[in-house]
Amino acid sequence: MSEQYKQAGVDINAGYEAVEQMKGHVKKTMRKEVLGSLGGFGAAFDLSQLNMTKPVLVSGTDGVGTKLKLAIDYDRHDTIGIDAVAMCVNDIITTGAEPLYFLDYIAVNKVVPEHIADVVKGISEGCIQSDCALIGGETAEMGEMYAEGEYDLAGFAVGAVEKDQYIDGSSVKSGDKIIGLNSSGIHSNGYSLVRKILADNQIDVNSELDGENLLDLLLEPTRIYTKAVQNVKDKVNIKAMSHITGGGFYENIPRALPENLGAEIKTETIQIPKILSWLIETANLDINEAYNVFNMGIGFIMIVDEADVEETLSLLREVSYEASLIGTITSQEGLVIND
């Protein structure tokens, strides 16, 4: 069946098998608002089921960058999907939105059902962690676009927030405090530099760093902060939030601030993960460049009034997020890091 198409580089039957293998993972993510089932031409979500009077939809799309290259090179496909979800939902929750659903796009040289199932397993786990439904996606076999064994992965997430609870940073003022939520490691940015450091220093990724496998540390999935935001936002007035991703501190903290305000970061409470410390030391990387590339152990920030700091930290601990006070909003534009 479809032999000429297969000879042209597309195996339809392998695609069918991949869909069958991913169905179990997708089913685990379902919410009551999802209409229909996997395999339709359009994925539907019933907003009328939400307990909201004036819902505002918030959307985000992203990929996982060249971290994907590590997963491909070392045949480790079962967690990279968590990164794809995290990169999207961690962006949209900065507005206070509740993630609702996620769609994925996987483009491959050749469909290998087991590999696709592993990727979707990770996407499913990311959706479970963020309480959103995996309601659709696309797997495209494109042999002429990708080398053998290669694939690309991207995602798209939609969330909703009550219009009068939308967080846009406009109420931030000088003297407000910045709370940093710990990352799980490198997350999913800076990997072009990570891979260059590995290559330049001829690092064996199957070696150990302080008793842990280096490749495991390099592929540690991005932490998802949905539960942290949901547990805090109804009890504390979160004025602004930021996802610390590409561009590190220097790009992402100012994005959360109104014009004419800046931030001062004091690093003594920041716990830099050992994998990042090792990379910085191995490359002899300037510390300011490190804060401009990596998350440095802080994957997400919340800006709150000084009076709300202790309650916010307590609420974060309730849902097992390590966090600390890392800075203060200032009346001078720009970011100052006191290391």
Side-chain angles (χ1 to χ4, degrees):
M1 186 176 181
S2 303
E3 283 302 313
Q4 291 192 49
Y5 203 13
K6 185 174 181 179
Q7 291 169 15
V10 179
D11 187 344
I12 292 177
N13 290 327
Y16 294 155
E17 184 180 342
V19 171
E20 287 302 314
Q21 290 197 26
M22 69 175 73
K23 280 183 176 179
H25 300 306
V26 174
K27 186 177 181 181
K28 296 175 185 176
T29 73
M30 287 298 102
R31 294 174 48 131
K32 62 182 175 60
E33 300 93 346
V34 177
L35 303 179
S37 58
L38 184 69
F41 289 101
F45 192 94
D46 183 5
L47 291 177
S48 69
Q49 294 289 317
L50 296 178
N51 186 28
M52 294 184 182
T53 56
K54 293 183 178 180
V56 173
L57 294 181
V58 183
S59 58
T61 185
D62 211 338
V64 295
T66 58
K67 185 175 187 176
L68 186 60
K69 181 69 173 162
L70 278 176
I72 293 168
D73 287 348
Y74 296 97
D75 199 26
R76 297 273 293 271
H77 312 284
D78 59 341
T79 61
I80 200 72
I82 300 175
D83 292 287
V85 177
M87 293 300 286
C88 295
V89 301
N90 284 344
D91 280 354
I92 67 174
I93 63 175
T94 62
T95 64
E98 171 194 351
L100 301 177
Y101 59 84
F102 185 86
L103 294 94
D104 65 75
Y105 175 77
I106 307 171
V108 300
N109 165 269
K110 181 180 180 182
V111 171
V112 179
E114 293 77 16
H115 289 176
I116 300 297
D118 272 351
V119 173
V120 174
K121 176 184 177 183
I123 294 171
S124 169
E125 175 58 29
C127 287
I128 291 168
Q129 289 182 23
S130 54
D131 196 24
C132 68
L134 176 55
I135 64 172
E138 169 69 5
T139 301
E141 194 168 40
M142 303 167 64
E144 294 176 294
M145 298 291 289
Y146 298 92
E148 185 175 354
E150 288 187 348
Y151 63 93
D152 199 6
L153 173 63
F156 174 78
V158 173
V161 59
E162 285 281 15
K163 188 174 182 178
D164 62 358
Q165 296 175 14
Y166 182 85
I167 298 170
D168 63 4
S170 59
S171 65
V172 175
K173 69 181 190 305
S174 179
D176 286 340
K177 299 301 181 181
I178 303 170
I179 292 175
L181 284 68
N182 287 10
S183 70
S184 56
I186 307 171
H187 281 188
S188 194
N189 57 277
Y191 274 84
S192 293
L193 178 56
V194 170
R195 291 170 50 249
K196 183 177 187 301
I197 294 169
L198 296 175
D200 288 351
N201 294 277
Q202 299 181 323
I203 303 296
D204 177 8
V205 298
N206 290 309
S207 59
E208 289 192 348
L209 179 62
D210 294 341
E212 291 190 67
N213 180 266
L214 183 57
L215 185 60
D216 288 345
L217 294 171
L218 291 166
L219 290 177
E220 180 71 28
T222 303
R223 178 164 290 169
I224 292 173
Y225 296 95
T226 301
K227 289 181 173 62
V229 173
Q230 295 299 322
N231 201 51
V232 174
K233 74 183 186 74
D234 291 334
K235 300 158 189 145
V236 168
N237 176 28
I238 305 175
K239 297 186 176 186
M241 291 180 278
S242 183
H243 179 200
I244 310 302
T245 178
F249 278 44
Y250 282 102
E251 180 175 340
N252 293 294
I253 293 179
R255 290 172 67 183
L257 305 179
E259 291 183 8
N260 303 318
L261 292 180
E264 180 181 11
I265 301 297
K266 294 186 177 181
T267 63
E268 56 260 34
T269 60
I270 295 175
Q271 302 171 30
I272 302 176
K274 63 183 176 183
I275 183 63
L276 285 171
S277 294
W278 176 81
L279 287 165
I280 292 165
E281 182 180 351
T282 301
N284 194 25
L285 194 65
D286 177 81
I287 195 66
N288 281 305
E289 183 175 2
Y291 275 99
N292 200 27
V293 175
F294 299 122
N295 65 57
M296 299 301 283
I298 301 296
F300 199 85
I301 66 159
M302 295 178 176
I303 299 174
V304 300
D305 190 273
E306 184 174 12
D308 292 325
V309 169
E310 290 305 319
E311 184 178 3
T312 303
L313 292 173
S314 176
L315 289 167
L316 290 169
R317 286 192 293 268
E318 283 182 3
V319 284
S320 301
Y321 286 85
E322 296 180 13
S324 60
L325 175 62
I326 65 167
T328 302
I329 303 303
T330 66
S331 58
Q332 184 173 354
E333 283 190 1
L335 183 71
V336 176
I337 295 178
N338 292 321
D339 183 66

